[in-house]
Amino acid sequence: MSSRDPFQPCSSTVPAASIRHNIHVLFPPVVSCCVRGAGQVPLKPLPCFTAAAGAACHWSVNDPLEFVMCSEPLREEKCYINVGLTVLSHQHVPFRPLNEQPDFQARAVGVLLEIRLTRCNDLFRPLGQEQDDRASKVTLSTMRLRVLPPTVLQDPRMESLNLDRNKLKHVAGISKLGNLRKLILSKNEIADFPEEIQSLVHLEKLELNQNQIRVIPEGIFSCLPRLKHLRLSNNRLSALPKDLATCSSSLQYLNLSNNLFRAIPQAVLELVSLQELYVQNNTLRQLPRELFEGRPLKMFKANGNPLREPPNEVCAGGIQQILSYFSQLQNCHVEEDRRVKTMFLGASLAGKSTICKSLKQRQVVLVSEEERTVGIEISEFHIQDFTFLFWDFAGQLEYYVTHHVFITPQALVILVINFQKYQLNNDIFQELVGFWINNLFMRVPNSVVLPVGTHTDCCTEEEVEEKKRDIMSKIQAMLEERRANLAHFINNLESSEESEFYVDQWDRLKEMESCTLTILNLVPVNCTNYWDIKKLETTILEHVRNEEIFPNVIRVLPPVYKEVEAAIVDTEQSEGTAEHGIMDLNHLLSEITRREHLSHLGTELFRDILRYLHRIGLIIWYEEIKQLESTVFLRPAFLITMFKILVRYRLVQQLESISVDLLVGEHATIRDQSNWVWTFKSKAMLCQRAMRALVKHQLYLEGMKDVFEEMVGHKAQKGKLFSLLEHFEICLEVRHAKDLNPGAREFVPGKLWETTQNCREAYYLFPTYLNQSEEVSERWGGDHLEDLHIRAYFSPEIPEGFFQRLMVKACSFYSAHWIAKVTCLLICSGKPLLIKENNQKGYSYIELRSRKPAQRTEFQFTWDFFMAIIFIIRKLSEEWPGLHMCMKAPCRTAECPAEFFWPDVDDKNTVTKEEIKTCGTCGHRFRTELLLPKVPSDLEVPQPPPPAHYYVTSYGTTSFGPSSIHVNRQSILDK
């Protein structure tokens, strides 16, 4: 043995983390080992062990510890206890809490013991690098640290320190690391801004997001002359210190989102080098012009604020549109636009159209059952100085699949309830009221809801009062239940022993907790009585004038915005405009610029104003859809008419009623018509000719035959209608699989390959009409106990139409698929993945299943497949801001009801480093890759794989994971 004390600490040691192990070590003859306590506990020496050859010695450690190193250099992901000789073999040892940690053995031939700690791997240097390189970058993420380990503070050469996802409240001693350039303290429990940071004069990147900071003292930033990147999002800040302005020449990135700012701090206006600024979800009402003029700002986001100047609809257009807006405001008398989008929702035959038309015409207008709304109807009217844009939504469930296209935030929702049908029981409440409240919770959680009871003339006064009380009390109970559920979810995450793994989910829940519906007092209305209509009008006006309820009802606009709007309305109403109101963008511009006061209107300003008018719902312009980028719908109602032709109540009857003349015009026969009906009933598909016949019938009835070919297209080219339906995931184009063509031309690399024209007729699948599931079940072959199996849980429920849109999106990426009403089977590279919906109250989830990989090398591909679908689900769920989603993996033991809660997901994997998961119910242990997207540890290589990029667009190509799978959009119609 060396004369040097083998247990003398070396310059770098493993940090004092919560390392709890039951350890069995097989010792050679006469070997001594020692582990010393560290951190905030007293030193706790353990007895040395002397054992005969082959003897096993055992000890338990339940305190924070550090393994003490000696002269042997540290290696990547490994620490050594050196007692003199050379290691000949070792066994991988995962790091886990005591209750999940299996006993392990570290075998040594000679007297060198090697223990691998996966939770500390970033502390150790890679093989072949110098110790100075190792010391410059340290990551102690997700270590449950409550204090900084003393050993971390002993290396002043350190340049990067990542302490995110811990439980730190203070970072005492951080000033010792005077050479730090990057400091990450995000997702901790810091309430007081660490003043010692002012000593880190070389600091370039500082992240303190997702803490509890309320105040930043003066004198910090004046000591950080090199600071380039500052992230302070998700705190409780309402002001910034003035000395932040001293970083004006260096600071390029600033994130203040999800705080309590009422105005942009003056110090921010002095940051002349700022390139990225994020201020989403504060309480800003105005943005200063100086923030944008003469600045290198390249990225700016401010959504989620009650902005008046510029309005949110302008900010959504980006920095150039904001600059254009302020340019137009200069030297002009600004105008206040008081406009309220008003959405009428409720069950079928509730009286929505009657109220809407009565308010508009200021007289009683009774609407018969035959005249009820089909799809959505739009109208505009004025009360005093307010403009109301009425959107009357049909109540039938079939039409709800299109509602997500048009239901927008910052609107007044009038929920119409038929008092004649309403009964004092939960089922009727859920049908007439609860369904709509739930969907508003999910879709527009910050909206204002005015319940209106109709058909009161069919009830006694006592019944009206009783039903009013019942409805309001049950709505309040729903609000309380939602608050209680969110509090329960938050408490579960906070009480978890590994709460640092769930910080992102916690933040999302806290954000949802701050959003709630504003439910106004119910107004009973007798629709046959004009004075009741007038009373409703007065109530509506009273509410929209209340700035606490509608903080952003007023928008400050340059005069040119109102002038162009008036010119567009005038053009839309002129005799020369076709009934459908479809106009080419350039033609519309030429029409507008004929007016003398708008003759100098430029193309870019015109496009900016069109974007604003599109966002407030006055016109529709989908510039993001290539086939529609030059088309403006001056009458949004026409577009809705097109939707309701194909997404409507009793579509089968519409197919059956197509006249013989129309069939002949589409080169079809009565037999073809029968086949269309059968295919739709059995497979929820319509061929292009059937859709042409349906649309032609409606357009010809309404005198719009001139736009028929443009909207519907033909075999060689799709019409604009199909582009819209696909863009909003309402239908999916499918084609018959073609046989191989023996006459096809030979492919020669470098030369144009002339393909044969596909003469097969396209079909369009409408998942909302699907019924059968036998074929999917047959192809899948039944669930197996060994399947990889996860669930995405939704609260309060899966939104209506969500699963159908998921199927359309997913199947557009995977050419081999089978679909039924609540199931979908995808095939990628011969691997099946089953997607299944279960939408029971209180138990709503989407389940994903795949066969367990036969080889461990196949886990990466399988989890990539899972994660591609999960990211589609997540992207879709973003359209429902009030929807809570969490991922769980059921225990793999038969009959065990337990589930493993997924931690946050970073990039392609979950935030976990455990190799084994233990079920707290049945006690069985499973390798992590059977429950979470994690590559088996023995397949990991020292060098990290290239970063995986997940991106999901409506259609196109997706790639995910190191597998680099690229799937072009294709579909197959099973013969």
Side-chain angles (χ1 to χ4, degrees), residues 521-536:
N521 197 29
L522 187 148
V523 180
V525 173
N526 176 0
C527 296
T528 64
N529 186 328
Y530 172 72
W531 294 110
D532 274 15
I533 299 295
K534 188 67 179 174
K535 181 180 69 174
L536 178 60

Side-chain angles (χ1 to χ4, degrees), residues 590-763:
S590 66
E591 287 289 324
I592 299 299
T593 52
R594 286 183 183 180
R595 293 156 177 80
E596 185 176 350
H597 65 290
L598 293 172
S599 58
H600 299 294
L601 182 66
T603 303
E604 286 307 312
L605 176 57
F606 178 62
R607 293 169 73 94
D608 285 344
I609 297 173
L610 280 185
R611 292 186 188 104
Y612 169 77
L613 296 176
H614 168 77
R615 293 184 187 111
I616 67 172
L618 191 69
I619 57 105
I620 290 180
W621 177 40
Y622 293 118
E623 60 176 321
E624 70 274 18
I625 304 176
K626 186 170 182 59
Q627 198 174 353
L628 296 172
E629 60 186 351
S630 62
T631 302
V632 180
F633 296 90
L634 299 183
R635 294 172 182 161
F638 168 76
L639 189 58
I640 294 158
T641 298
M642 298 302 297
F643 277 160
K644 73 186 183 186
I645 293 172
L646 300 171
V647 184
R648 65 176 300 145
Y649 185 56
R650 296 177 178 172
L651 186 57
V652 171
Q653 287 87 331
Q654 295 294 319
L655 274 173
E656 293 172 338
S657 66
I658 296 173
S659 68
V660 175
D661 290 339
L662 276 176
L663 291 174
V664 172
E666 289 303 313
H667 308 289
T669 65
I670 294 176
R671 178 65 179 271
D672 291 325
Q673 183 183 28
S674 298
N675 285 334
W676 298 345
V677 171
W678 181 87
T679 303
F680 181 73
K681 284 182 175 180
S682 61
K683 296 188 176 183
M685 290 191 294
L686 292 172
C687 66
Q688 192 171 22
R689 281 189 301 163
M691 295 175 73
R692 281 176 59 91
L694 283 168
V695 174
K696 181 184 285 188
H697 173 69
Q698 186 68 34
L699 293 184
Y700 277 40
L701 278 178
E702 300 186 15
M704 302 185 208
K705 62 173 68 176
D706 60 316
V707 77
F708 171 69
E709 290 295 338
E710 180 182 356
M711 292 303 297
V712 182
H714 43 78
K715 280 187 179 181
Q717 183 175 355
K718 286 192 301 188
K720 294 177 178 178
L721 172 62
F722 300 115
S723 297
L724 283 165
L725 291 171
E726 290 181 325
H727 178 77
F728 292 112
E729 295 102 28
I730 293 171
C731 72
L732 172 71
E733 181 186 359
V734 294
R735 291 185 179 271
H736 282 288
K738 292 171 55 181
D739 298 328
L740 293 176
N741 179 12
R745 295 177 180 272
E746 181 182 1
F747 174 73
V748 179
K751 292 186 178 181
L752 181 64
W753 186 30
E754 297 181 9
T755 59
T756 55
Q757 183 66 36
N758 179 14
C759 297
R760 298 271 189 171
E761 185 174 18
Y763 278 74

Side-chain angles (χ1 to χ4, degrees), residues 149-184:
T151 51
V152 172
L153 303 175
Q154 293 174 4
D155 191 349
R157 298 164 300 171
M158 192 183 301
E159 295 184 355
S160 174
L161 177 59
N162 186 346
L163 292 163
D164 80 323
R165 293 182 184 272
N166 282 291
K167 297 180 180 294
L168 296 169
K169 293 185 177 180
H170 307 281
V171 285
I174 197 73
S175 57
K176 297 177 182 179
L177 304 178
N179 204 40
L180 271 185
R181 298 177 184 273
K182 177 180 175 181
L183 176 60
I184 309 298

